[in-house]
Amino acid sequence: LSEDIMSPRNIFRSSLNTKIISRDQFEALMTAIEDRNRTSHTYDEELAEIIAQRIYDHEKIIKSVFRLL
């Protein structure tokens, strides 16, 4: 399989399309990915603090999806 097919975004999109995860779970996972990418490419302390406050929400959604698998 190509790397593009195996990207987290595509895996989550496929999971949504096959109804393994809900729209809400999909959107929460996309937010987690976006937050991860933002913190990887920024040195903005204010942004890092905002994202850090969401880490526990990200953890909850990731754990809930792993339980489905």
Side-chain angles (χ1 to χ4, degrees), residues 14-29:
S14 291
S15 297
L16 173 65
N17 291 338
T18 57
K19 301 188 185 335
I20 294 171
I21 63 173
S22 69
R23 169 67 59 185
D24 288 342
Q25 289 171 316
F26 174 78
E27 290 175 6
L29 290 165

Side-chain angles (χ1 to χ4, degrees), residues 9-63:
R9 288 180 193 274
N10 287 339
I11 291 169
F12 296 144
R13 192 170 291 114
S14 291
S15 297
L16 173 65
N17 291 338
T18 57
K19 301 188 185 335
I20 294 171
I21 63 173
S22 69
R23 169 67 59 185
D24 288 342
Q25 289 171 316
F26 174 78
E27 290 175 6
L29 290 165
M30 292 298 101
T31 299
I33 290 171
E34 290 167 10
D35 282 353
R36 182 262 175 210
N37 290 341
R38 283 188 201 115
T39 59
S40 295
H41 304 292
T42 187
Y43 298 98
D44 181 342
E45 189 172 334
E46 184 178 337
L47 176 60
E49 289 290 332
I50 291 167
I51 292 171
Q53 293 174 10
R54 294 195 289 241
I55 287 175
Y56 293 109
D57 292 334
H58 295 333
E59 177 189 28
K60 288 178 194 172
I61 190 64
I62 291 167
K63 283 182 175 181

